[in-house]
Amino acid sequence: MTLLQLQYFICVVETGSFTQAARKAYTSQPTISRQIQMLEEELGYDLFNRSSKPLRLTEPGQILYEGMKAAIAQINTTLEKAGTVAEGKEGVLSLSFQAGYFAEYRFFPMLHKLREMCPTLQIRSNKMFSWDQIKGLRDGSIDIAIGLAFPHWDEMGFTVRNLGKIETLIVMSTNHRLAKKEILEYDDLCGETFFLTAPNGYQVDKVFKNRFCLDDVRQVEVPSSENAYFKVLSDNGLTISNPYDPVLLDSQRYHTLRFEAENEDSYVCVTNPDNTNPAVSLFLALLEKEEAEKETPRG
């Protein structure tokens, strides 16, 4: 007895004839007839009363049909579910975004699309410092880490995919003297105070590097980006951020100017090559598709 024979049997019952069953199954009528005959020979009883018109099931045939229809439906459901899990469309995908750099705001639309594509896939997201991301990638508690391009990712044997440069923004209040300028020159910043977060915040010397004398630029370390933005408004100072910072997305209080930084940051997507979670491949494939669509010119 084979699964194919049982499927042919159910098809004959539901179409009412061997000819119609053959059409529905995309095979020939003799093939259907032969497979049903072989099934009856193995079972030791007839499944159909072939003298009746229309074709009717025998009593044991009726019992077999009712039981096997339910069983095959369960088999199909199981096969479909196994295939879904193998493709990464079901299960759990754990993502970690590096704290302080707002990469998650770039990925929220993509995560929404992934949830629409795979409604049974559980997506868990957290914000972590880079040392916790490293630990999570190693012990398997996270599948994907997204953060800044640091050398330690490659040095530790992780797989790193570059997601491109991040624009550097100089942030000020709309009342600041520089808010009316479209382009900033280095000399514009003389005498200004930058409020910068720690421990993961930007540093003015990292942005300006050797292109500008920092003697006339004051750097004040503050404990959080919230504090930096407060200082920007209250003390009429400056801070540094990037276009994904949620405070800047819809705020009418701040003015931002893109700045050609000497050393711009990049986002990276980091995975452990030993991770076998199929949902990782699904995420990376969607990421590659989205990146390709960004690069394709629209005509």
mmCIF file of all heavy atoms in Angstrom, residues 45-71:
data_model
loop_
_atom_site.group_PDB
_atom_site.id
_atom_site.type_symbol
_atom_site.label_atom_id
_atom_site.label_comp_id
_atom_site.label_asym_id
_atom_site.label_seq_id
_atom_site.Cartn_x
_atom_site.Cartn_y
_atom_site.Cartn_z
ATOM 1 N N TYR A 45 -10.103 -7.018 -0.378
ATOM 2 C CA TYR A 45 -11.530 -6.757 -0.568
ATOM 3 C C TYR A 45 -11.700 -5.635 -1.586
ATOM 4 O O TYR A 45 -10.785 -4.847 -1.846
ATOM 5 C CB TYR A 45 -12.216 -6.391 0.750
ATOM 6 C CG TYR A 45 -11.557 -5.292 1.541
ATOM 7 C CD1 TYR A 45 -11.749 -3.938 1.209
ATOM 8 C CD2 TYR A 45 -10.761 -5.591 2.649
ATOM 9 C CE1 TYR A 45 -11.155 -2.934 1.936
ATOM 10 C CE2 TYR A 45 -10.168 -4.583 3.378
ATOM 11 C CZ TYR A 45 -10.356 -3.249 3.027
ATOM 12 O OH TYR A 45 -9.762 -2.258 3.742
ATOM 13 N N ASP A 46 -12.925 -5.610 -2.186
ATOM 14 C CA ASP A 46 -13.232 -4.579 -3.169
ATOM 15 C C ASP A 46 -13.536 -3.255 -2.473
ATOM 16 O O ASP A 46 -14.161 -3.218 -1.407
ATOM 17 C CB ASP A 46 -14.438 -4.988 -4.011
ATOM 18 C CG ASP A 46 -14.127 -6.163 -4.930
ATOM 19 O OD1 ASP A 46 -12.928 -6.351 -5.234
ATOM 20 O OD2 ASP A 46 -15.064 -6.862 -5.325
ATOM 21 N N LEU A 47 -13.121 -2.193 -3.108
ATOM 22 C CA LEU A 47 -13.394 -0.845 -2.586
ATOM 23 C C LEU A 47 -14.602 -0.221 -3.256
ATOM 24 O O LEU A 47 -15.281 0.617 -2.662
ATOM 25 C CB LEU A 47 -12.166 0.064 -2.785
ATOM 26 C CG LEU A 47 -10.890 -0.371 -2.051
ATOM 27 C CD1 LEU A 47 -9.710 0.498 -2.473
ATOM 28 C CD2 LEU A 47 -11.096 -0.293 -0.537
ATOM 29 N N PHE A 48 -14.876 -0.636 -4.508
ATOM 30 C CA PHE A 48 -15.990 -0.077 -5.270
ATOM 31 C C PHE A 48 -16.913 -1.179 -5.772
ATOM 32 O O PHE A 48 -16.465 -2.293 -6.068
ATOM 33 C CB PHE A 48 -15.475 0.719 -6.481
ATOM 34 C CG PHE A 48 -14.646 1.925 -6.117
ATOM 35 C CD1 PHE A 48 -13.262 1.856 -6.141
ATOM 36 C CD2 PHE A 48 -15.252 3.123 -5.753
ATOM 37 C CE1 PHE A 48 -12.499 2.957 -5.815
ATOM 38 C CE2 PHE A 48 -14.491 4.225 -5.431
ATOM 39 C CZ PHE A 48 -13.110 4.145 -5.452
ATOM 40 N N ASN A 49 -18.183 -0.831 -5.829
ATOM 41 C CA ASN A 49 -19.147 -1.693 -6.504
ATOM 42 C C ASN A 49 -19.173 -1.233 -7.954
ATOM 43 O O ASN A 49 -19.846 -0.276 -8.311
ATOM 44 C CB ASN A 49 -20.521 -1.559 -5.856
ATOM 45 C CG ASN A 49 -21.537 -2.503 -6.449
ATOM 46 O OD1 ASN A 49 -21.313 -3.089 -7.521
ATOM 47 N ND2 ASN A 49 -22.672 -2.667 -5.769
ATOM 48 N N ARG A 50 -18.424 -1.923 -8.823
ATOM 49 C CA ARG A 50 -18.235 -1.463 -10.189
ATOM 50 C C ARG A 50 -19.451 -1.673 -11.077
ATOM 51 O O ARG A 50 -19.525 -1.137 -12.183
ATOM 52 C CB ARG A 50 -17.003 -2.136 -10.798
ATOM 53 C CG ARG A 50 -15.682 -1.623 -10.188
ATOM 54 C CD ARG A 50 -14.486 -2.430 -10.644
ATOM 55 N NE ARG A 50 -13.217 -1.860 -10.234
ATOM 56 C CZ ARG A 50 -12.709 -1.919 -9.027
ATOM 57 N NH1 ARG A 50 -13.390 -2.540 -8.063
ATOM 58 N NH2 ARG A 50 -11.541 -1.377 -8.755
ATOM 59 N N SER A 51 -20.417 -2.452 -10.607
ATOM 60 C CA SER A 51 -21.621 -2.683 -11.421
ATOM 61 C C SER A 51 -22.644 -1.567 -11.248
ATOM 62 O O SER A 51 -23.603 -1.469 -12.016
ATOM 63 C CB SER A 51 -22.246 -4.031 -11.056
ATOM 64 O OG SER A 51 -22.649 -4.042 -9.696
ATOM 65 N N SER A 52 -22.468 -0.756 -10.226
ATOM 66 C CA SER A 52 -23.446 0.307 -9.963
ATOM 67 C C SER A 52 -23.071 1.572 -10.731
ATOM 68 O O SER A 52 -21.907 1.843 -11.001
ATOM 69 C CB SER A 52 -23.495 0.617 -8.472
ATOM 70 O OG SER A 52 -22.270 1.176 -8.041
ATOM 71 N N LYS A 53 -24.115 2.284 -11.093
ATOM 72 C CA LYS A 53 -23.914 3.572 -11.750
ATOM 73 C C LYS A 53 -24.853 4.587 -11.097
ATOM 74 O O LYS A 53 -26.061 4.350 -11.072
ATOM 75 C CB LYS A 53 -24.192 3.456 -13.244
ATOM 76 C CG LYS A 53 -23.164 2.580 -13.944
ATOM 77 C CD LYS A 53 -23.131 2.843 -15.431
ATOM 78 C CE LYS A 53 -22.032 1.996 -16.061
ATOM 79 N NZ LYS A 53 -21.927 2.153 -17.512
ATOM 80 N N PRO A 54 -24.265 5.680 -10.551
ATOM 81 C CA PRO A 54 -22.834 6.012 -10.556
ATOM 82 C C PRO A 54 -22.022 5.097 -9.659
ATOM 83 O O PRO A 54 -22.591 4.325 -8.886
ATOM 84 C CB PRO A 54 -22.832 7.446 -10.035
ATOM 85 C CG PRO A 54 -24.024 7.522 -9.147
ATOM 86 C CD PRO A 54 -25.068 6.673 -9.825
ATOM 87 N N LEU A 55 -20.711 5.220 -9.767
ATOM 88 C CA LEU A 55 -19.794 4.386 -8.997
ATOM 89 C C LEU A 55 -20.025 4.582 -7.502
ATOM 90 O O LEU A 55 -20.148 5.703 -7.032
ATOM 91 C CB LEU A 55 -18.350 4.782 -9.357
ATOM 92 C CG LEU A 55 -17.230 3.844 -8.921
ATOM 93 C CD1 LEU A 55 -17.347 2.496 -9.633
ATOM 94 C CD2 LEU A 55 -15.879 4.499 -9.226
ATOM 95 N N ARG A 56 -20.114 3.443 -6.774
ATOM 96 C CA ARG A 56 -20.374 3.519 -5.336
ATOM 97 C C ARG A 56 -19.326 2.725 -4.561
ATOM 98 O O ARG A 56 -18.792 1.733 -5.044
ATOM 99 C CB ARG A 56 -21.756 2.979 -5.007
ATOM 100 C CG ARG A 56 -22.893 3.856 -5.527
ATOM 101 C CD ARG A 56 -24.227 3.267 -5.130
ATOM 102 N NE ARG A 56 -25.342 4.078 -5.626
ATOM 103 C CZ ARG A 56 -26.617 3.753 -5.486
ATOM 104 N NH1 ARG A 56 -26.938 2.618 -4.857
ATOM 105 N NH2 ARG A 56 -27.565 4.547 -5.964
ATOM 106 N N LEU A 57 -19.089 3.193 -3.339
ATOM 107 C CA LEU A 57 -18.163 2.497 -2.460
ATOM 108 C C LEU A 57 -18.825 1.284 -1.833
ATOM 109 O O LEU A 57 -20.030 1.290 -1.564
ATOM 110 C CB LEU A 57 -17.696 3.433 -1.335
ATOM 111 C CG LEU A 57 -16.688 4.527 -1.693
ATOM 112 C CD1 LEU A 57 -16.591 5.541 -0.561
ATOM 113 C CD2 LEU A 57 -15.314 3.915 -1.960
ATOM 114 N N THR A 58 -18.023 0.249 -1.600
ATOM 115 C CA THR A 58 -18.494 -0.859 -0.763
ATOM 116 C C THR A 58 -18.438 -0.395 0.696
ATOM 117 O O THR A 58 -17.876 0.675 1.004
ATOM 118 C CB THR A 58 -17.595 -2.088 -0.938
ATOM 119 O OG1 THR A 58 -16.256 -1.751 -0.520
ATOM 120 C CG2 THR A 58 -17.574 -2.560 -2.383
ATOM 121 N N GLU A 59 -19.001 -1.183 1.597
ATOM 122 C CA GLU A 59 -18.983 -0.785 3.007
ATOM 123 C C GLU A 59 -17.569 -0.647 3.547
ATOM 124 O O GLU A 59 -17.253 0.363 4.194
ATOM 125 C CB GLU A 59 -19.786 -1.788 3.839
ATOM 126 C CG GLU A 59 -19.920 -1.360 5.295
ATOM 127 C CD GLU A 59 -20.825 -2.300 6.096
ATOM 128 O OE1 GLU A 59 -21.468 -3.182 5.484
ATOM 129 O OE2 GLU A 59 -20.873 -2.148 7.330
ATOM 130 N N PRO A 60 -16.656 -1.653 3.295
ATOM 131 C CA PRO A 60 -15.281 -1.460 3.773
ATOM 132 C C PRO A 60 -14.593 -0.292 3.056
ATOM 133 O O PRO A 60 -13.744 0.385 3.620
ATOM 134 C CB PRO A 60 -14.587 -2.787 3.472
ATOM 135 C CG PRO A 60 -15.465 -3.491 2.514
ATOM 136 C CD PRO A 60 -16.853 -3.010 2.755
ATOM 137 N N GLY A 61 -14.980 -0.089 1.773
ATOM 138 C CA GLY A 61 -14.417 1.042 1.034
ATOM 139 C C GLY A 61 -14.784 2.371 1.672
ATOM 140 O O GLY A 61 -13.973 3.308 1.726
ATOM 141 N N GLN A 62 -16.025 2.489 2.167
ATOM 142 C CA GLN A 62 -16.481 3.713 2.823
ATOM 143 C C GLN A 62 -15.692 3.972 4.096
ATOM 144 O O GLN A 62 -15.291 5.113 4.379
ATOM 145 C CB GLN A 62 -17.975 3.599 3.139
ATOM 146 C CG GLN A 62 -18.579 4.850 3.767
ATOM 147 C CD GLN A 62 -18.620 6.033 2.825
ATOM 148 O OE1 GLN A 62 -18.895 5.857 1.636
ATOM 149 N NE2 GLN A 62 -18.346 7.218 3.343
ATOM 150 N N ILE A 63 -15.467 2.887 4.864
ATOM 151 C CA ILE A 63 -14.699 3.025 6.113
ATOM 152 C C ILE A 63 -13.264 3.471 5.795
ATOM 153 O O ILE A 63 -12.707 4.361 6.462
ATOM 154 C CB ILE A 63 -14.702 1.697 6.884
ATOM 155 C CG1 ILE A 63 -16.121 1.367 7.354
ATOM 156 C CG2 ILE A 63 -13.731 1.756 8.071
ATOM 157 C CD1 ILE A 63 -16.263 -0.013 7.963
ATOM 158 N N LEU A 64 -12.671 2.837 4.778
ATOM 159 C CA LEU A 64 -11.299 3.188 4.401
ATOM 160 C C LEU A 64 -11.225 4.649 3.939
ATOM 161 O O LEU A 64 -10.303 5.380 4.306
ATOM 162 C CB LEU A 64 -10.805 2.262 3.290
ATOM 163 C CG LEU A 64 -9.328 2.456 2.897
ATOM 164 C CD1 LEU A 64 -8.417 1.996 4.029
ATOM 165 C CD2 LEU A 64 -8.994 1.710 1.614
ATOM 166 N N TYR A 65 -12.206 5.084 3.141
ATOM 167 C CA TYR A 65 -12.208 6.448 2.619
ATOM 168 C C TYR A 65 -12.266 7.469 3.767
ATOM 169 O O TYR A 65 -11.489 8.423 3.801
ATOM 170 C CB TYR A 65 -13.395 6.648 1.686
ATOM 171 C CG TYR A 65 -13.663 8.103 1.350
ATOM 172 C CD1 TYR A 65 -12.798 8.820 0.531
ATOM 173 C CD2 TYR A 65 -14.775 8.758 1.881
ATOM 174 C CE1 TYR A 65 -13.026 10.157 0.253
ATOM 175 C CE2 TYR A 65 -15.015 10.093 1.600
ATOM 176 C CZ TYR A 65 -14.142 10.794 0.784
ATOM 177 O OH TYR A 65 -14.377 12.112 0.507
ATOM 178 N N GLU A 66 -13.183 7.292 4.691
ATOM 179 C CA GLU A 66 -13.347 8.256 5.780
ATOM 180 C C GLU A 66 -12.102 8.344 6.661
ATOM 181 O O GLU A 66 -11.689 9.424 7.068
ATOM 182 C CB GLU A 66 -14.563 7.877 6.618
ATOM 183 C CG GLU A 66 -15.879 8.041 5.866
ATOM 184 C CD GLU A 66 -17.077 7.522 6.652
ATOM 185 O OE1 GLU A 66 -16.847 6.989 7.768
ATOM 186 O OE2 GLU A 66 -18.216 7.645 6.163
ATOM 187 N N GLY A 67 -11.503 7.165 6.926
ATOM 188 C CA GLY A 67 -10.309 7.166 7.776
ATOM 189 C C GLY A 67 -9.080 7.716 7.068
ATOM 190 O O GLY A 67 -8.335 8.528 7.624
ATOM 191 N N MET A 68 -8.892 7.301 5.803
ATOM 192 C CA MET A 68 -7.695 7.716 5.083
ATOM 193 C C MET A 68 -7.743 9.173 4.642
ATOM 194 O O MET A 68 -6.718 9.834 4.546
ATOM 195 C CB MET A 68 -7.469 6.807 3.874
ATOM 196 C CG MET A 68 -6.974 5.431 4.246
ATOM 197 S SD MET A 68 -5.409 5.545 5.175
ATOM 198 C CE MET A 68 -5.171 3.811 5.620
ATOM 199 N N LYS A 69 -8.928 9.706 4.391
ATOM 200 C CA LYS A 69 -9.020 11.114 4.019
ATOM 201 C C LYS A 69 -8.509 11.999 5.152
ATOM 202 O O LYS A 69 -7.744 12.942 4.932
ATOM 203 C CB LYS A 69 -10.456 11.481 3.668
ATOM 204 C CG LYS A 69 -10.593 12.927 3.208
ATOM 205 C CD LYS A 69 -12.018 13.257 2.824
ATOM 206 C CE LYS A 69 -12.115 14.714 2.363
ATOM 207 N NZ LYS A 69 -13.492 15.097 1.987
ATOM 208 N N ALA A 70 -8.928 11.662 6.382
ATOM 209 C CA ALA A 70 -8.465 12.417 7.541
ATOM 210 C C ALA A 70 -6.968 12.230 7.766
ATOM 211 O O ALA A 70 -6.239 13.179 8.078
ATOM 212 C CB ALA A 70 -9.240 12.003 8.784
ATOM 213 N N ALA A 71 -6.497 10.978 7.559
ATOM 214 C CA ALA A 71 -5.081 10.693 7.785
ATOM 215 C C ALA A 71 -4.197 11.424 6.774
ATOM 216 O O ALA A 71 -3.164 11.989 7.126
ATOM 217 C CB ALA A 71 -4.843 9.185 7.699
#
